[in-house]
Amino acid sequence: MSKQPSGALLFVLTCAMGVGPLLNYGLSTVSPLVIEDLDISEGQFGLLATAIFASAAVCSMWLGKLSDRISNRAQLVLIFAGTAVALVIASLAHSYLVLVIAALLAGPAQAISNPTTNRIIISQVPAHKRPGWIGVKQSGVQGSQLFSGLFFPIVALWAGWQGATALAAVVAVGLLLYGLRKLPENPITTAVPAPSAATPPSRVAPPAADSASSSRSAATPKGSGTQTRFPLSVWLFAGYSLLAGLGMQATNVYLPLFTVRELGFSLVMGGVAAGVSGVVGVTSRVLWGRRMAKGVRASTLLILLGFGALTGAAAFFAAGALDLPALLWLGVILHGATVLGANVVVMAGVMRVVPAQRVGAASGIVSMGMYAGFAAGPLLMGLLLEATGSFHTGWLLVGAGYLLCSALGFALRAYGNRTGVVR
């Protein structure tokens, strides 16, 4: 009888996804203090997030391939210890340049988190449970947003934003020690069974049309290495991740500042707004993962998520233009329920269209698109804020990106009805 993956392992994977964004979420929640203390502009503050995610984007493909080769324990050290180092440097920053260096160091830890956790899931978890596990582990990112929204502003009130950053580094080290204890030594290969008469067909492979190309991908010889092409759906997923990531991080980075500056919220209430978005995001990622586990097509969910996120961006725009805080909370809820859950659908979709031995590399490609969007979003929002003096144009940009997300969802749906591996 095969050993089943433990709840402790799921917790470690969730933390592995959540620890990387601690620096950018934490700085975002205390952005008014950082801007005042370092005497920088809103645009310069946005560049910190751009530095984090540009660093992650540059490293993503290489780290994705690396995750297929090095041990899981080594990857956990890269994720948790790398984040802790970045947080410590940030806590010592008394100049903008040092904070930029910390941001650049935080990128790789985030870049390898998806490939690492996806590889562990595919080697440890039965196929029919993987979408649900992906939903839970991806919720770690929004769990980090919730933690940061409450932890950083409150600690910053008595220890300053640098003190809060230092304590967050201690949390990262503690999670690393726990993770190394709970991570299984060897893959449970029996957890990835081949189809057999004893296994119901519905449990072996999702009936989604989006996976029409997966049979061709799975038939690729193991020894073909990097010469093998990925199906077009992988690149569509990467494009969706880029556009969704642009809007997601433009919102995440500037939401607390938007609430304080445009709606008159306190620093703590601005953090609460980010935290509420994180709470909704945790729930949405679990729910979207369950929908994927039931065989719903990735394209169907991605189309709906794109239009829902567009409605959320419109709510943010209207909240600022009309000075209506109620619309802000509507936008926060829609942001958490839609775009914050999209990555679950994307990563579960990737697992459907590539063979197990190439999941790390494929995840790296999709992560590269996501982090490129993460880098572009705060940069563009900051530049527009400085140029116009308001958030209005920024919210329009975010909304346009979400509209294009839905268009890519339709393209993925059309491609899912075709066969063959296309570059």
Side-chain angles (χ1 to χ4, degrees):
M1 189 170 186
S2 62
K3 183 180 177 182
Q4 294 298 308
S6 68
L9 176 61
L10 182 56
F11 177 74
V12 170
L13 298 181
T14 304
C15 291
M17 290 300 303
V19 72
L22 274 180
L23 179 62
N24 43 290
Y25 282 144
L27 292 178
S28 175
T29 59
V30 293
S31 55
L33 298 181
V34 177
I35 290 171
E36 181 181 359
D37 189 32
L38 298 182
D39 192 24
I40 59 177
S41 67
E42 292 90 346
Q44 286 177 302
F45 178 79
L47 280 174
L48 294 172
T50 297
I52 292 173
F53 298 125
S55 172
V58 168
C59 298
S60 285
M61 290 188 68
W62 176 75
L63 288 173
K65 293 176 182 178
L66 182 67
S67 74
D68 289 330
R69 300 189 182 102
I70 66 174
S71 71
N72 294 333
R73 297 175 71 84
Q75 294 177 59
L76 281 192
V77 172
L78 285 175
I79 293 169
F80 288 97
T83 300
V85 169
L87 288 166
V88 168
I89 292 175
S91 72
L92 300 174
H94 292 285
S95 72
Y96 180 67
L97 179 60
V98 175
L99 205 53
V100 170
I101 293 172
L104 291 171
L105 292 174
Q110 294 190 52
I112 200 173
S113 60
N114 266 310
T116 297
T117 52
N118 287 347
R119 285 290 301 165
I120 293 174
I121 286 176
I122 209 165
S123 67
Q124 301 285 335
V125 181
H128 65 279
K129 291 185 177 181
R130 289 175 196 159
W133 272 59
I134 292 173
V136 174
K137 68 100 172 173
Q138 294 291 147
S139 71
V141 178
Q142 269 52 67
S144 176
Q145 188 175 15
L146 169 62
F147 172 82
S148 299
L150 300 176
F151 176 85
F152 277 83
I154 292 174
V155 175
L157 289 178
W158 63 270
W161 66 269
Q162 291 166 313
T165 307
L167 284 179
V170 175
V171 172
V173 171
L175 291 174
L176 170 61
L177 297 176
Y178 179 84
L180 291 176
R181 287 180 55 200
K182 297 298 181 180
L183 188 68
E185 291 289 341
N186 300 307
I188 305 172
T189 53
T190 54
V192 192
S196 67
T199 306
S202 62
R203 290 300 207 186
V204 175
D210 292 335
S211 59
S213 62
S214 61
S215 59
R216 176 78 174 270
S217 299
T220 302
K222 241 178 168 181
S224 56
T226 57
Q227 312 251 339
T228 309
R229 295 177 297 175
F230 285 110
L232 177 61
S233 51
V234 170
W235 302 99
L236 291 174
F237 282 131
Y240 192 102
S241 293
L242 188 153
L243 293 167
L246 186 153
M248 182 193 306
Q249 289 304 328
T251 303
N252 287 342
V253 169
Y254 280 101
L255 179 61
L257 185 63
F258 173 70
T259 62
V260 172
R261 178 170 153 173
E262 301 291 319
L263 299 173
F265 282 27
S266 67
L267 182 68
V268 172
M269 282 304 297
V272 167
V276 169
S277 181
V279 170
V280 178
V282 168
T283 305
S284 73
R285 289 193 167 201
V286 173
L287 292 178
W288 296 129
R290 288 178 179 174
R291 296 302 298 162
M292 287 291 289
K294 291 181 179 179
V296 178
R297 293 201 294 190
S299 60
T300 299
L301 295 179
L302 292 177
I303 291 167
L304 293 174
L305 291 174
F307 283 122
L310 174 60
T311 306
F316 285 131
F317 177 89
L322 303 176
D323 194 22
L324 290 176
L327 290 178
L328 168 84
W329 295 110
L330 174 62
V332 164
I333 292 171
L334 288 172
H335 178 66
T338 57
V339 71
L340 293 188
N343 196 246
V344 173
V345 180
V346 167
M347 288 301 171
V350 168
M351 285 191 178
R352 289 181 176 180
V353 298
V354 295
Q357 67 269 24
R358 304 201 70 209
V359 163
S363 298
I365 289 173
V366 174
S367 294
M368 181 182 66
M370 178 180 68
Y371 287 121
F374 283 3
L379 173 64
L380 294 174
M381 180 71 95
L383 291 175
L384 290 172
L385 177 58
E386 284 193 347
T388 64
S390 77
F391 284 87
H392 298 342
T393 310
W395 294 130
L396 291 175
L397 172 70
V398 168
Y402 292 151
L403 185 60
L404 290 175
C405 280
S406 292
L408 281 181
F410 281 111
L412 182 64
R413 187 178 185 86
Y415 174 73
N417 293 321
R418 298 168 53 193
T419 59
V421 181
V422 184
R423 191 179 290 279

